[in-house]
């Protein structure tokens, strides 16, 4: 099977997603993007997502090795070394995270492990559901450990 060639390859890709009143909700950026006219998906390499609050201030930041975005729904899948940092100093790490643009939540599949670090507390679990600020986090079978602060 021959690999399909993209219709467009773009360096320094950027997409701004705004709500119905025109307020910027997030920016999606990639070092490189491939677009296929026949598909609605944009393939992203070295991707970031930056989320903003009502005042236009950054509230969280996602980085990943790659992913793709649906041009119609603006749903996003981030894959490989996914990290989400929020302004409340919470860090989420996973291999694959989904962004549901209609529900405005991040989620993972039930068997994907997620690690959340908040200060010295490290929580691991599955089946993530969270808002883009990592304020309300739901996990299945969460296990929390306290990191020792010795040696710092």
């Amino acid at each position: 099977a021959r690999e399909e060639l993209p219709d467009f390859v773009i360096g320094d890709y950027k997409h701004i997603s705004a709500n119905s009143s025109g307020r910027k909700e997030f920016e999606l950026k990639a070092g490189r993007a491939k677009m296929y006219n026949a598909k609605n998906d944009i393939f992203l390499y070295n991707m970031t997502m930056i989320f903003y609050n009502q005042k236009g201030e950054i509230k969280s930041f996602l980085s990943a090795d790659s992913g793709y975005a649906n041009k119609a729904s603006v749903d996003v899948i981030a894959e490989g070394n996914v990290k989400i940092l929020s302004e409340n100093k919470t860090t989420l790490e996973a291999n694959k995270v989904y962004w549901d643009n209609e529900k405005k939540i991040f989620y993972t599949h039930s068997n994907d492990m997620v690690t959340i670090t908040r200060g010295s507390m490290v929580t691991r679990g599955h089946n993530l559901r969270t808002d883009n600020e990592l304020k309300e986090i739901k996990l299945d079978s969460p296990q929390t450990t306290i990191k020792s602060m010795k040696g710092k």
Side-chain angles (χ1 to χ4, degrees), residues 1-151:
R2 221 166 46 97
E3 190 190 338
E4 256 183 276
L5 290 174
D7 296 297
F8 300 100
V9 176
I10 300 165
D12 291 329
Y13 172 83
K14 183 175 176 179
H15 169 85
I16 295 174
S17 183
N19 66 12
S20 54
S21 61
R23 185 179 62 77
K24 179 164 69 169
E25 292 185 317
F26 67 85
E27 278 179 13
L28 179 62
K29 296 179 180 180
R32 197 161 57 99
K34 287 182 183 177
M35 291 189 200
Y36 299 84
N37 285 340
K39 299 182 185 128
N40 248 347
D41 289 329
I42 305 165
F43 292 84
L44 307 163
Y45 302 90
N46 293 328
M47 64 172 285
T48 59
M49 287 177 86
I50 303 162
F51 289 86
Y52 297 89
N53 65 16
Q54 269 96 353
K55 296 178 194 157
E57 301 159 337
I58 293 174
K59 56 183 184 180
S60 64
F61 177 91
L62 173 148
S63 64
D65 293 344
S66 63
Y68 46 98
N70 183 288
K71 284 189 281 197
S73 66
V74 201
D75 289 344
V76 178
I77 299 171
E79 204 167 2
N81 296 310
V82 181
K83 263 195 174 138
I84 304 171
L85 307 164
S86 77
E87 66 174 355
N88 66 15
K89 306 284 187 276
T90 301
T91 305
L92 183 151
E93 294 173 272
N95 186 50
K96 192 174 197 174
V97 172
Y98 300 80
W99 169 251
D100 184 319
N101 198 45
E102 191 182 334
K103 293 180 184 166
K104 308 290 181 210
I105 60 161
F106 284 112
Y107 67 96
T108 61
H109 286 302
S110 55
N111 55 351
D112 289 342
M113 177 64 81
V114 175
T115 303
I116 292 159
T117 307
R118 212 175 245 168
S120 62
M121 281 181 22
V122 180
T123 305
R124 288 183 177 82
H126 305 273
N127 206 17
L128 169 80
R129 299 280 178 279
T130 185
D131 60 289
N132 60 21
E133 293 184 71
L134 307 182
K135 281 187 176 167
E136 293 180 31
I137 299 172
K138 292 185 179 127
L139 284 172
D140 287 353
S141 332
Q143 300 202 322
T144 301
T145 54
I146 305 295
K147 272 195 301 192
S148 164
M149 299 311 260
K150 284 183 201 151

